[in-house]
């Protein structure tokens, strides 16, 4: 049994591994090893809540099973519970003082805990100044040797966008002054928008997670045309992290938002948040390509991204899904104070984190955040708000999209071969006509430069988990 299950892990068929370990646990429900191994499979499939539960159960069965502490620490790290993770890493280091990997993870986690404590100590909502206040853009020089694109009289144009995408395609960097100009302008634009965007139009293309896969983003524009007033787009969150070209993705999307403010729409995902960016690569990428100051400005901008969009009064789009409680209305969404890091519960958290499930009712989320909601929950929400269906993203789908809840809940995911290992297709949805009937378009991954996903991620989240 161990050999075949190890083979499943080796071949990265984690869904099948979960199924096999679940069957094994029915026969041997007190196996710490099986709980630990299923925890690892859940970690690989980003089911961090389930991974945490299995690691905890493993240690309840055998408190001396060291891999269980590794698994539980990794689960807590993924959930942003750094103090809890540190406690388990301390246990591993104490038991295995010569384990270099454990010592490295302990030191890295300890650094994060101390950094968070320092940030809390100096934080003051009343006194907090924007990065914009400390920037002197006018006197920021563009060196003579820089030959890349520049904003035209400080404004984004289609010519600039085409030149910038070509620059990024050649793995060149946009001048920091231009990047700052885009960020400052898009922050001002987004801050004037409501948390729920309501629009009326004849057609629109909806894209799901892009996760730093810049060359696949270019392929979407190749297949479906560049954004324009006649070809509007909505990108549904998780623009950054995981993929190692997140900076190129987000500057391209922000540039189009400035160029086409009424035809190009962006919604916040759960990865447009500080904790996720710290762990999954975007913070590291911005610091490597620019500065820590620029990442802080990105953080400020992300907090102003709208949370949901209602199209023609018929279709509601959000990154995650529906809510932990019934009774939430569109008016409630308009009233959300979004200019912050997401809370651990409530409508804002649910919009970014929740997932659909096939069975009725609600249950605890596989992710350890928010909830899972069934078809009855979807039906009641749509009826109360006079909507036809919802579109959300947030989950990898083998075909790039999935239609559930009797056609009332659609998932779209636009990062093909996610993290260079999932072999999934990507998809986008075209809505048109009076009934906004969805048309699904699939595509496969295109080649990208030899930079691996997670290249800038925190070392604790690299794939080499014990």
């Amino acid at each position: 049994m161990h050999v075949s299950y190890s083979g499943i892990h080796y071949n990265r068929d984690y869904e099948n591994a979960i199924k096999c370990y679940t069957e094994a646990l029915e026969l041997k429900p007190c196996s710490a090893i099986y709980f630990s191994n299923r925890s690892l499979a859940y970690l690989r499939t980003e089911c961090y809540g389930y991974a945490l539960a299995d690691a905890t159960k493993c240690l309840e069965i055998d408190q001396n099973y060291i891999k269980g502490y590794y698994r539980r620490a990794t689960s807590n790290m993924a959930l942003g519970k750094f103090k809890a993770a540190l406690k388990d890493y301390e246990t591993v280091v104490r038991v295995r003082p010569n384990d270099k990997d454990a010592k490295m993870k302990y030191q890295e986690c300890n650094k994060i805990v101390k950094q968070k404590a320092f940030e809390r100590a100096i934080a003051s909502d009343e006194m907090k100044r924007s990065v914009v206040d400390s920037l002197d853009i006018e006197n920021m020089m563009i060196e003579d040797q820089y030959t890349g694109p520049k904003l035209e009289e400080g404004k984004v144009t289609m010519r600039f966008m085409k030149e910038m995408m070509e620059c990024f395609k050649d793995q060149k960097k946009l001048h920091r002054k231009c990047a700052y100009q885009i960020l400052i302008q898009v922050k001002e634009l987004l801050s004037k928008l409501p948390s729920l965007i309501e629009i009326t139009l004849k057609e629109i293309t909806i894209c799901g997670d892009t996760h730093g896969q810049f060359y696949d983003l270019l392929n979407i524009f190749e297949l479906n045309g560049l954004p324009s007033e006649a070809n509007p787009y909505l990108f549904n969150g998780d623009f950054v992290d995981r993929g190692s070209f997140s900076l190129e993705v987000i500057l391209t999307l922000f540039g189009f938002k400035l160029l086409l403010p009424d035809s190009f729409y962006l919604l916040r995902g759960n990865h447009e948040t500080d904790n996720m960016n710290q762990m999954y690569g975007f913070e590291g990428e911005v610091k490597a390509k620019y500065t820590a100051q620029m990442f802080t400005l990105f953080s400020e901008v992300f907090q102003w991204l709208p949370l949901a969009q209602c199209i023609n009064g018929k279709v509601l789009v959000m990154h995650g899904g529906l809510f932990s409680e019934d009774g939430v209305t569109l008016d409630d969404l308009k009233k959300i104070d979004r200019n912050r890091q997401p809370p651990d519960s409530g409508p804002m958290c649910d919009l970014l984190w929740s997932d659909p499930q096939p069975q009725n009712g609600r249950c605890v989320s596989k992710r350890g955040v928010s909830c899972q909601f069934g078809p009855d929950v979807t039906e009641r929400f749509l009826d109360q708000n006079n909507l036809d269906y919802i579109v959300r993203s947030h989950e990898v789908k083998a075909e790039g999209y999935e239609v559930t809840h009797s056609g009332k809940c659609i998932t779209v995911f636009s990062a093909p071969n996610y993290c260079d290992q999932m072999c999934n297709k990507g998809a986008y949805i075209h809505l048109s006509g009076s009934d906004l009937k969805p048309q699904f378009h699939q595509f496969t991954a295109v080649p990208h430069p030899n930079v691996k996903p997670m290249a800038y991620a925190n070392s604790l989240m690299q794939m080499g988990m014990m």
Side-chain angles (χ1 to χ4, degrees), residues 334-398:
K334 296 174 188 176
K335 297 172 186 175
I336 294 176
D337 175 16
R338 71 184 188 278
N339 183 25
R340 54 180 169 154
Q341 295 302 308
D344 294 332
S345 61
M348 181 175 176
C349 173
D350 295 332
L351 284 168
L352 300 179
W353 279 99
S354 71
D355 295 293
Q357 64 181 19
Q359 67 272 29
N360 280 338
R362 295 179 175 88
C363 74
V364 176
S365 173
K366 61 189 177 184
R367 300 176 188 270
V369 183
S370 185
C371 70
Q372 293 174 192
F373 59 95
D376 58 330
V377 175
T378 301
E379 190 71 37
R380 288 195 299 271
F381 175 81
L382 294 175
D383 286 347
Q384 181 177 6
N385 291 281
N386 197 28
L387 296 165
D388 290 350
Y389 61 91
I390 66 170
V391 177
R392 41 89 60 183
S393 300
H394 195 38
E395 291 181 287
V396 184
K397 297 299 177 184

Side-chain angles (χ1 to χ4, degrees), residues 2-49:
H2 285 301
V3 172
S4 62
Y5 292 166
S6 297
I8 289 169
H9 279 302
Y10 180 77
N11 290 319
R12 293 174 173 169
D13 188 358
Y14 300 118
E15 295 290 351
N16 198 28
I18 290 167
K19 179 182 176 182
C20 290
Y21 284 123
T22 300
E23 292 172 353
L25 282 164
E26 290 174 359
L27 300 173
K28 196 174 180 182
C30 292
S31 170
I33 294 174
Y34 290 166
F35 275 111
S36 175
N37 287 355
R38 191 172 69 173
S39 177
L40 176 60
Y42 279 136
L43 283 169
R44 300 296 201 213
T45 55
E46 301 182 23
C47 298
Y48 301 125

Side-chain angles (χ1 to χ4, degrees), residues 194-198 307-310 316 322-338 340 346-351 362 380-381 384-385 387:
S195 292
L196 170 66
I197 305 292
E198 296 176 287
L307 302 175
Q309 187 147 335
C310 188
L316 186 68
L322 297 181
F323 308 98
S324 302
E325 296 180 351
D326 284 345
V328 177
T329 67
L330 297 186
D331 283 340
D332 293 327
L333 304 188
K334 296 174 188 176
K335 297 172 186 175
I336 294 176
D337 175 16
R338 71 184 188 278
R340 54 180 169 154
M348 181 175 176
C349 173
D350 295 332
L351 284 168
R362 295 179 175 88
R380 288 195 299 271
F381 175 81
Q384 181 177 6
N385 291 281
L387 296 165

Side-chain angles (χ1 to χ4, degrees), residues 108-361:
E108 187 67 24
C109 187
N110 192 35
K111 184 170 70 174
I112 292 172
V113 169
K114 289 180 177 178
Q115 178 184 337
K116 293 289 183 183
F118 175 73
E119 289 171 355
R120 285 193 300 272
I122 64 172
S124 170
D125 290 339
E126 293 75 26
M127 300 295 291
K128 190 174 182 182
R129 296 174 66 237
S130 169
V131 169
V132 178
D133 298 333
S134 61
L135 292 173
D136 184 5
I137 297 296
E138 292 300 319
N139 292 315
M140 198 175 284
M141 297 297 296
I142 296 182
E143 297 78 9
D144 292 339
Q145 59 266 36
Y146 175 75
T147 58
K150 302 173 187 176
L151 274 68
E152 298 175 28
E153 297 182 352
K155 301 295 182 183
V156 170
T157 62
M158 181 58 84
R159 184 172 73 173
F160 169 83
M161 290 304 302
K162 290 179 178 179
E163 290 178 357
M164 182 173 71
M165 288 187 289
E166 199 63 33
C167 166
F168 289 157
K169 187 177 179 180
D170 293 337
Q171 290 186 274
K172 296 176 182 177
K173 212 165 68 168
L174 184 68
H175 194 278
R176 65 189 180 100
K177 178 173 182 174
C178 302
Y180 274 124
Q181 286 174 308
I182 289 173
L183 287 172
I184 292 168
Q185 291 176 31
V186 86
K187 180 186 177 185
E188 182 179 1
L189 174 62
L190 294 175
S191 66
K192 295 175 181 176
L193 299 178
S195 292
L196 170 66
I197 305 292
E198 296 176 287
I199 58 169
T200 301
L201 37 67
K202 294 181 180 179
E203 61 180 314
I204 191 168
T205 299
I206 303 176
C207 299
D209 304 38
T210 45
H211 273 303
Q213 297 186 196
F214 176 70
Y215 295 84
D216 293 307
L217 174 65
L218 292 183
N219 190 36
I220 292 173
F221 293 149
E222 182 71 25
L223 295 169
N224 194 59
L226 286 174
S228 67
E229 291 183 3
N231 189 27
Y233 278 84
L234 165 56
F235 280 82
N236 194 24
D238 280 13
F239 320 121
V240 301
D241 283 339
R242 304 276 188 192
S244 296
F245 304 95
S246 293
L247 198 54
E248 290 79 2
V249 167
I250 194 61
L251 287 174
T252 299
L253 297 180
F254 280 170
F256 275 121
K257 181 60 184 174
L258 292 172
L259 180 65
L260 301 160
D262 298 318
S263 305
F264 194 86
Y265 304 96
L266 302 171
L267 297 180
R268 190 176 186 178
N270 65 300
H271 276 267
E272 278 71 57
T273 55
D274 286 355
N275 276 354
M276 293 293 105
N277 295 162
Q278 185 174 34
M279 299 307 300
Y280 293 99
F282 186 59
E283 180 178 358
E285 183 179 343
V286 178
K287 288 179 176 178
K289 295 177 180 179
Y290 290 99
T291 62
Q293 183 189 48
M294 184 178 287
F295 173 73
T296 302
L297 183 52
F298 268 110
S299 175
E300 291 182 24
V301 177
F302 286 165
Q303 293 187 166
W304 283 113
L305 284 164
L307 302 175
Q309 187 147 335
C310 188
I311 303 172
N312 294 11
K314 292 177 178 289
V315 180
L316 186 68
V317 186
M318 75 290 283
H319 178 73
L322 297 181
F323 308 98
S324 302
E325 296 180 351
D326 284 345
V328 177
T329 67
L330 297 186
D331 283 340
D332 293 327
L333 304 188
K334 296 174 188 176
K335 297 172 186 175
I336 294 176
D337 175 16
R338 71 184 188 278
N339 183 25
R340 54 180 169 154
Q341 295 302 308
D344 294 332
S345 61
M348 181 175 176
C349 173
D350 295 332
L351 284 168
L352 300 179
W353 279 99
S354 71
D355 295 293
Q357 64 181 19
Q359 67 272 29
N360 280 338

Side-chain angles (χ1 to χ4, degrees), residues 61-72:
I61 295 169
D62 183 357
Q63 63 180 3
N64 295 316
Y65 194 73
I66 295 301
K67 285 187 179 181
Y69 292 99
Y70 265 103
R71 306 281 193 258
R72 191 164 70 179

